[in-house]
Structures are given as structure tokens and as C-alpha cells.
Amino acid sequence: MQFLFPSFLWGLLAISVPIIIHLFNFRRTKKVFFTNVAFLKAVETETSSFRRIKQWLILAARVLFLIFLALAFAQPFLPAKNAGPNRLSGLGVSSLYLDNSLSMQNTTENKRYLDLAVTKIDELLTLFSQSPNVQLVTNDFSGEDQAVTNTTKVKDRLTSIGLSPNPRTFENVYKRQRSLAQKHNASANNQFFWFSDFQKSTAGDMKQLKIDSLDKLFLVPVQGKTSQNVYVDSVWLASPFIREMQNNVLYVKVFNSGDNDVEKLPVKLFIDNAQASTASVDIAPNSSATATFNFTVKDKGFHKGKVSFDDQPITFDNDYYFVLDASPVIQVLHLYQQRSAADYIGKVFDNDSLFAYHSYSASNVDVGQFKNANLIVLEGVEQVSGTFRTSLEEFIRQGGSLLVFPPARPDAEDYSQFLGGFGIQGISVNNQPALPQSQLPIAEPNRQNPFYADVFERTTLQGVANTPLMQPVWNWSGVGEKILTFKNQQNFITATNTSKGKIYISASPLERTYGNFAEHAFFVPTMFKIASMSVRQERAAYNFSEGSITVDIPNVKKNATYKLKSVVTEANTNNIEIIPIQRISGNQLTLELPKATQLSDNQILESGYYELQLDGKTEKLLALNHDNDESKMEFYTPTELKSFFAGQKNVTIFDNLLDGDFVKTFQENNIGTPLWKYCIIFALAFLLAEILLIRFMKG
């Protein structure tokens, strides 16, 4: 037998008090004078031996009462075989990790995993009621985690813990628990508890997790039956751009992470808080299905999109947020020296509101305008040199797109120096006059090429077969992708990727004497596709787990400081403003999304819409969602957990929080059998015996 608080055994000295009183009974006899025997009262006599027995019994009852009372305060217990040194002395830290990630919203027996874990932790804390070294850690990794306190304060905190959008790997959890415990007392043995559903997608590599031999770790799985959960995997548009007052098509990929079929799940599309369309999907187990939505928008600019459905009991991922940019303006800069008489480039881009088209002579242009352009079209420029060439190179390196239509006689040496720096080699010029017999037929576009994936869907085979004829004036090698070729496999239009930008080269001028490409049905969709690809297609939605996001900002200011401000909605009532770490490169702004540990305790990043603001003005609207790792309902079983820690004897894995009385099992195996309750019972019993002896034992 051992004692939790052996210092209370000094209380046994109190038994000397009744012993002294018993041995030195100073009660004096009292004389009664009377004159008449009639006044004598009947007196019950008792023998001295009977009186002595009674006094000894009373003394024994008093002494035993004090003994068991002192023992009760010392809290005796029978130690368990697994109990280690300092386990109950209060020197080590008892650190409890409560997994309050979004997956703990799952339910079993109509109770959330989180609520079940909180209840069991509250019961477990009764075993450490006298310990001042208790710690509670959650996924928030907040300042409250650092407090080593008593069980009363920890229980108070349990009542206010909610779900956290920040999943943590168990490697990070252990590092945090041990770091905080070591700060409190580096020499003491500590015990750590993990209450979690042990979700596979967020747990990290548990096979490589090693626990210090001085620590004891207890894993308590909080799991029920396998749950069904549906979540949005991704959304995308059928075409690169959304046009106002026209039919647009949106695809939504929905994934079923459960083991049962999902039939006729209604999926709703909301645009600017109004339901725009609905669809129904059937999803096989552990598979996905794609829902198709048709919608229209009335105005240009940013529109808030949301895909929503009702899926129980996991509801945190029932809404998926995204942003649509209707009719974004593409900046096209046309620079010419030998412009075609029909001005084909101007006819394509100048009459469409989708483009902001500007045309200048290459010898009389302000190169400062290059930084604001998405696409620069060079037409008939014989030489690219000097400041003009340097500015074009910088434009391409910063992510711009360049389209080159050669002049009748391009300067091969000059273009070789310019384009050679981007991997385009072997430029050779065909010094031939424009002759109809020199024109070559262009091959039919490859329908499998992503460049033409959404261009010729409605074109008949006969229409495609009538390809244009063009006379090439130069040829080159070292290309990245062939957009169009002649039927003899010679290059006609190629696309070469640079570090950020792109270079398109045509083999022929646009002038009608060199062929009819500019008047063919191929020309307009090809130009539109090149222009659309010159704008970096910003994603409709981002994930918090990505760490950083990059967006295009026209006319970005180098020393500007942008901030993110949440848009308050019914689902996201958290009004938050943050200034993330940011850097600017060209017209691109990269934002480092803050981690949960970098936010103040009252700041939480929730899924929803966020305004990118500069000086109070909204520059862009962004949609941020939590990573779908939390939506994958796969968990490590107790058997798998035991295999991970098979060689570590200081790690104990319980079968399940719901199987049997976890607290009692833990107490018997690791703390021992407490005896203080029995001491209280015996103390009260002997106190009652003393009262009964005094009141009823007469003789």
C-alpha cells in the first residue's frame, strides 16, 4: 500500500489527545447533603469493571476514528503493476490532447465524437483532482495550451471547446505536448493522453513516431461505426471565360467517401446568394460523380458561387465556395511595322468587349505599356533590338505572352539572338517572293490537343477538312508544342513555354498574298484561344492548406500592402481582417496564408469569401475552403495503432472509448486501487460507534 499524500500521516499524532484524556480523567466527586432519607433518589449502581470496559471501548472508537480520518486525507492506494515513478506524486505533467478537428463532428449513438471525448476527459480528471500539473491541448494550439494548472480550470475550459478547422499531425501534437511539459519540469516523468478519431488523412506518418522512454503515452480512440460522407472535390468551367447574359456551364465533382451508395443526392448551385440551378447525382462507394449546372450572370465582375447539399451527420463540408469572374478584360497590345492591309488583328480584338485592344507602330511605342499587357502581338516587325528587345524579354519573363507574325523578310540573326534565349533555335529564312504555288496546305488540328479541346466541338468534319493554304517565310526548331502544322509536318504555329510566359510563332505573315489563314474559320478561334491563355486562369477557389496563393493584379503598386477581409455570411459570421506576408513579382501578388499559430486567439479562418483590399478598396474577391482531407472518413483501428507502437512498452492503446469503462480500466492498470473511500466509511462507522456507546451503554 502507498499514499498519494503521505504528509497527512502526521495527523495520526492526534490520537494522543483522547489517550491523554482517558489516562488522566480529572472528574471530581460531588457531595450531596440531605436531611431526610425521603429525598434520596434511586441510583443505578455500576461496577468499576463495567465502567472500565465502556471507557476502553469509547477510547478505541475515538482512536480508530482519528486513524481512518488521517488515512483518508493521505489517500492510500494499492499500486498497479504499470504505475511508474512520479506518476501520482504530482511532479510530472498530465497532458491531455483533445482532437477537436472537423472530423470529430462525426456521431455515434446520436452523440458527437467531440462530446463523447469531453465527457470521458471530465471523468478522467477526477483521478487527478489533487494534481496541480494538468494540461489540456487542442488543435487550436492557443496560448491556453501552455497553462499547467489544476483540474478545476481544465474542466471549465472543456465546456467552451468547439470544433477547430486546423488538423494536426500526431508528430506535431507530441512535440508540442512534450515541449510544454519540459518547460514546466524537465526532470519529471510525464504522461500524455490522446483522445482522437485517428483520421488517416490528417494523422501523419505514425509509423515513424517515437515516444521518449521517460514518458508514458495513452491512446484513446473515439470511434463508432463507419460513417457516410459526401464532399465537393473540385469545380471547373466548360469554357475559359464567363460571358454575361449568356449560358455558362459549370461542372462539380462530388466524392462519396463512405462504403454505401448515395442515390439521387440533390446538389444546389447558388450565384450571389440566389439559387441558380440544381442537379441530382448518384455516387458509388469511394467514388465520384460529376454534376453539370447551366447558369447565367447579368453583370461583369466577380460573382459569389456556392455548391450546397444536405449530408448528415458530417456537415462542415456541405458547402463549397468559389468565385466567378464574368468577362474579365484581356489587355492586347498590337505592335506592327508591316501591318496587313485588312488589319486582321484589329478586327479580331477591337470589336469585342472581352478585350482592351491597343495598336501602335513598333517604332513609336512607349515600352512602359508592356507591363500592363497580357498579350503582345508583333506583326511584320523586321528587327527586335535595343530597349524594345529588352522590354519584350522582361515582359515574357514576368509571365506575358508574345505572338509573332513575321514580316516578308525577317532578320534571321536578330530574331535568333532574341528568341534563342528562350530555347527557340535554328531559325532559317526562306527568301522567296509571295507566290500562290509556294503555299502549303495546313493540316487539320489535332482534336486531342487541349488547345483546341473546346473550339471545334460543333465543327463538321467537312469544314475542318477545308484547311487554309499559307506560304512560310521562315522555319525554326526547339519548340515546345505544335499548335498547327503544315501537312508536311513543318511548323506553322508553335507555343514555347518560358519560366512564366509563353511565345507563339507563326511561320507566315498575315498578308493575303501569303495565304488565306486570316480569312479562314481557324483564325478567330485560334486568336481567341491564344488571348485567353495569355491571362493566367485564376482558380475559382483556394484551400487554406496550400500555404500561399498567387493572383494577378493589374497596375500593381510595388510598395502597396494588401489585406484580406472576410465577407460575413450566414455560415461565416466571423469578421476577420489580416495582413498576410506578401510579395510582388510583375503583376502577380503572392500571399502567404497565415497558420493557426500565427493568428490571435480570437481569430479563426473559416471557409467562405475574402476580399483582397488595398487602402479600403476591394481589388479582388477570393474564395477559401478547408482542405478535403478532413472529409475522408478513414480511421486507424486500435489494431493498426498497436502495430505502429508494438516496440514501445511505454505506449498503451485502448480498444475504444466506448468499450467498457475507460476511466476505471485506466485507473486499475496505471494508478491502482484507491482506498480513501473505505477509510472515510470506517471513520464514520467508528464515530457512530462512539455515539452509540455513550448513549446506550449504561450499567
Side-chain angles (χ1 to χ4, degrees):
M1 186 172 68
Q2 297 181 10
F3 298 92
L4 185 60
F5 302 105
S7 59
F8 280 101
L9 293 177
W10 289 102
L12 293 174
L13 295 176
I15 66 176
S16 61
V17 175
I19 293 175
I20 293 174
I21 294 175
H22 177 78
L23 294 178
F24 301 96
N25 190 348
F26 300 107
R27 185 175 61 181
R28 297 179 179 179
T29 59
K30 184 179 180 181
K31 294 181 179 181
V32 179
F33 297 94
F34 57 93
T35 60
N36 195 325
V37 293
F39 296 104
L40 290 177
K41 297 180 179 178
V43 179
E44 295 182 7
T45 62
E46 60 179 350
T47 64
S48 60
S49 59
F50 183 83
R51 184 172 61 249
R52 207 176 297 118
I53 293 174
K54 176 180 178 181
Q55 290 175 351
W56 280 110
L57 290 174
I58 293 174
L59 175 62
R62 290 173 178 172
V63 169
L64 290 173
F65 164 72
L66 292 175
I67 289 175
F68 282 106
L69 185 63
L71 291 176
F73 279 100
Q75 293 198 21
F77 65 93
L78 297 176
K81 61 180 181 179
N82 295 334
N86 293 336
R87 202 59 62 195
L88 296 172
S89 62
L91 296 178
V93 173
S94 299
S95 179
L96 300 96
Y97 165 64
L98 172 59
D99 180 4
N100 61 333
S101 61
L102 296 175
S103 64
M104 292 289 282
Q105 189 183 48
N106 207 345
T107 62
T108 181
E109 299 178 359
N110 296 323
K111 293 182 179 179
R112 295 190 309 173
Y113 286 0
L114 180 63
D115 297 332
L116 291 171
V118 167
T119 300
K120 290 299 180 181
I121 290 177
D122 188 79
E123 294 178 11
L124 179 64
L125 288 173
T126 59
L127 303 181
F128 309 108
S129 58
Q130 302 300 325
S131 175
N133 301 332
V134 182
Q135 180 187 62
L136 179 64
V137 176
T138 67
N139 286 41
D140 297 314
F141 279 15
S142 64
E144 292 180 289
D145 291 352
Q146 303 183 38
V148 176
T149 182
N150 55 50
T151 58
T152 301
K153 292 184 178 179
V154 173
K155 286 186 176 183
D156 291 341
R157 187 182 168 201
L158 281 174
T159 61
S160 60
I161 290 179
L163 294 169
S164 170
N166 307 306
R168 305 290 183 184
T169 65
F170 286 100
E171 180 182 5
N172 291 335
V173 169
Y174 177 63
K175 286 181 178 179
R176 182 168 180 83
Q177 282 184 300
R178 193 162 198 278
S179 174
L180 296 175
Q182 290 290 310
K183 288 181 181 179
H184 176 72
N185 193 333
S187 61
N189 296 333
N190 304 302
Q191 55 186 1
F192 304 131
F193 298 84
W194 292 352
F195 290 82
S196 172
D197 57 4
F198 294 96
Q199 189 175 28
K200 290 184 177 181
S201 57
T202 60
D205 189 0
M206 299 192 69
K207 296 180 181 179
Q208 304 300 322
L209 191 57
K210 301 300 179 184
I211 306 302
D212 191 279
S213 59
L214 295 178
D215 300 327
K216 292 198 71 174
L217 175 63
F218 302 93
L219 277 63
V220 188
V222 186
Q223 299 173 352
K225 297 180 181 179
T226 303
S227 296
Q228 194 85 11
N229 188 41
V230 176
Y231 62 91
V232 174
D233 181 82
S234 56
V235 299
W236 69 96
L237 292 164
S239 60
F241 298 104
I242 297 175
R243 306 298 293 267
E244 72 275 15
M245 302 307 296
Q246 295 184 18
N247 182 61
N248 301 281
V249 179
L250 179 77
Y251 299 107
V252 179
K253 184 178 179 181
V254 186
F255 195 90
N256 172 20
S257 65
D259 297 326
N260 300 318
D261 290 323
V262 174
E263 298 180 353
K264 301 187 183 309
L265 176 68
V267 183
K268 300 176 182 178
L269 172 65
F270 293 85
I271 303 294
D272 295 329
N273 301 320
Q275 184 172 332
S277 184
T278 185
S280 179
V281 292
D282 296 325
I283 319 173
N286 296 306
S287 302
S288 62
T290 301
T292 304
F293 297 95
N294 294 281
F295 68 96
T296 59
V297 293
K298 296 181 180 179
D299 306 310
K300 294 183 179 180
F302 296 107
H303 296 270
K304 301 173 186 174
K306 182 179 73 171
V307 175
S308 183
F309 47 81
D310 184 18
D311 177 51
Q312 299 291 336
I314 308 296
T315 60
F316 72 87
D317 53 5
N318 285 2
D319 294 328
Y320 186 87
Y321 301 90
F322 58 94
V323 171
L324 303 174
D325 187 5
S327 301
V329 176
I330 302 175
Q331 301 287 337
V332 178
L333 186 59
H334 179 203
L335 306 178
Y336 58 87
Q337 186 175 343
Q338 298 175 10
R339 181 166 56 178
S340 60
D343 190 16
Y344 296 112
I345 299 297
K347 288 181 179 179
V348 171
F349 296 119
D350 197 21
N351 297 319
D352 196 310
S353 61
L354 187 62
F355 306 102
Y357 173 76
H358 302 280
S359 181
Y360 301 97
S361 170
S363 59
N364 188 29
V365 63
D366 179 9
V367 295
Q369 296 187 48
F370 290 7
K371 65 180 182 180
N372 297 324
N374 301 117
L375 172 66
I376 294 179
V377 182
L378 292 186
E379 183 183 3
V381 178
E382 294 181 354
Q383 291 185 333
V384 180
S385 59
T387 304
F388 184 76
R389 171 180 164 182
T390 303
S391 300
L392 281 177
E393 291 173 340
E394 180 65 18
F395 166 75
I396 295 170
R397 291 192 182 97
Q398 293 298 327
S401 295
L402 176 67
L403 172 59
V404 180
F405 287 104
R409 297 185 183 278
D411 188 325
E413 181 179 357
D414 188 78
Y415 270 100
S416 294
Q417 293 177 358
F418 170 51
L419 298 176
F422 299 102
I424 301 173
Q425 307 291 336
I427 295 179
S428 59
V429 176
N430 304 324
N431 292 314
Q432 296 181 357
L435 299 172
Q437 58 268 30
S438 299
Q439 296 177 5
L440 303 175
I442 295 176
E444 179 182 348
N446 181 6
R447 291 174 179 265
Q448 303 302 318
N449 189 335
F451 185 90
Y452 286 114
D454 54 354
V455 173
F456 295 110
E457 291 180 349
R458 297 183 179 88
T459 304
T460 62
L461 291 175
Q462 181 179 1
V464 174
N466 296 327
T467 59
L469 299 173
M470 292 297 291
Q471 178 181 339
V473 299
W474 62 359
N475 198 8
W476 60 95
S477 61
V479 299
E481 177 186 2
K482 294 184 178 183
I483 304 301
L484 287 172
T485 64
F486 292 103
K487 289 188 176 182
N488 63 3
Q489 299 304 310
Q490 183 178 337
N491 297 327
F492 179 62
I493 293 180
T494 64
T496 301
N497 291 318
T498 65
S499 58
K500 291 184 178 180
K502 210 163 195 177
I503 300 176
Y504 300 88
I505 303 178
S506 171
S508 309
L510 290 178
E511 188 58 57
R512 183 64 180 84
T513 55
Y514 285 89
N516 64 341
F517 174 66
E519 297 176 352
H520 193 273
F522 284 179
F523 181 65
V524 172
T526 301
M527 293 299 101
F528 268 48
K529 190 71 176 197
I530 290 175
S532 67
M533 295 181 68
S534 70
V535 178
R536 192 177 66 88
Q537 298 297 315
E538 293 187 13
R539 289 159 46 189
Y542 300 88
N543 292 330
F544 288 112
S545 60
E546 294 179 42
S548 64
I549 60 176
T550 300
V551 296
D552 290 330
I553 303 291
N555 304 317
V556 64
K557 298 179 181 179
K558 291 185 178 181
N559 298 323
T561 301
Y562 293 84
K563 69 177 180 180
L564 284 176
K565 180 180 180 181
S566 63
V567 178
V568 178
T569 61
E570 292 183 2
N572 182 11
T573 58
N574 186 24
N575 189 5
I576 183 175
E577 290 187 14
I578 56 175
I579 300 178
I581 299 174
Q582 50 199 267
R583 60 181 181 272
I584 296 172
S585 177
N587 286 341
Q588 293 184 342
L589 172 67
T590 300
L591 303 174
E592 300 289 340
L593 296 176
K595 299 179 180 179
T597 53
Q598 297 172 322
L599 299 172
S600 61
D601 290 347
N602 61 344
Q603 289 183 319
I604 300 177
L605 291 176
E606 297 282 1
S607 296
Y609 310 107
Y610 289 80
E611 295 176 343
L612 181 64
Q613 294 187 345
L614 176 63
D615 299 329
K617 179 183 177 183
T618 300
E619 300 288 335
K620 276 189 178 294
L621 184 65
L622 305 175
L624 290 167
N625 297 280
H626 292 296
D627 194 276
N628 56 25
D629 283 346
E630 285 277 358
S631 302
K632 300 172 182 177
M633 297 292 106
E634 294 181 341
F635 310 97
Y636 286 119
T637 64
T639 302
E640 290 175 312
L641 294 174
K642 290 176 182 178
S643 67
F644 296 156
F645 297 96
Q648 303 184 57
K649 296 183 179 179
N650 56 329
V651 179
T652 302
I653 296 97
F654 291 90
D655 287 337
N656 197 321
L657 181 74
L658 302 178
D659 294 342
D661 191 338
F662 153 72
V663 176
K664 183 178 180 181
T665 303
F666 169 79
Q667 182 181 18
E668 293 176 351
N669 294 337
N670 299 276
I671 294 180
T673 304
L675 304 175
W676 63 270
K677 293 182 180 179
Y678 300 104
C679 293
I680 291 290
I681 293 173
F682 281 116
L684 294 175
F686 285 115
L687 179 62
L688 177 62
E690 178 189 357
I691 296 173
L692 294 176
L693 286 171
I694 295 173
R695 183 174 182 85
F696 296 106
M697 192 173 182
K698 298 177 181 180

